[in-house]
Amino acid sequence: MRRYLLLGAALWCVGFAAQAAGEAEREAGRKLFNSGTQPSCAVCHTLRDAGAEGAVGPVLDELQPDEARVANVLRTGLGVMPPFRDKLTEQQIALLARYVAQASAPPR
């Protein structure tokens, strides 16, 4: 019985740590969206989770792009949106793409 209690406690701790890491990553993505690029994503795009109400680019809450699409557009640009491959690291592009995809996804 004691083993099961210890195992349960360990699994809870792992789950809690993973949730905390996920929230920290989401906050880092939100910060990058709002102020990590020049111009910031929030200037052009609307994204409810970020509190952004841009009026130039598409409304990301409606578009609901997946992570690969966001990363590709960040690297290459699209329409009037410039590429950010020279302004962001690959790690930042991945973080921002993951954030936008998760933040714009429909609720589960």
Side-chain angles (χ1 to χ4, degrees):
M1 177 71 155
R2 185 173 176 196
R3 272 189 200 158
Y4 293 117
L5 289 174
L6 290 174
L7 179 60
L11 290 174
W12 181 84
C13 287
V14 168
F16 181 76
Q19 181 180 0
E23 289 172 15
E25 181 178 273
R26 187 175 182 102
E27 185 55 38
R30 184 180 294 117
K31 184 176 181 181
L32 192 56
F33 185 90
N34 282 317
S35 61
T37 62
Q38 207 51 324
S40 77
C41 305
V43 167
C44 296
H45 296 283
T46 296
L47 183 61
R48 189 177 312 110
D49 185 79
E53 297 181 0
V56 177
V59 176
L60 297 172
D61 296 306
E62 294 173 4
L63 188 60
Q64 299 176 346
D66 65 25
E67 191 174 331
R69 182 175 182 185
V70 176
N72 184 52
V73 171
L74 284 169
R75 287 184 193 102
T76 63
L78 181 65
V80 298
M81 180 175 158
F84 286 89
R85 68 180 169 269
D86 295 335
K87 298 176 183 179
L88 297 172
T89 66
E90 275 301 311
Q91 183 180 8
Q92 288 172 316
I93 288 172
L95 176 67
L96 189 51
R98 198 166 30 257
Y99 168 70
V100 169
Q102 291 173 355
S104 65
R108 292 188 248 174

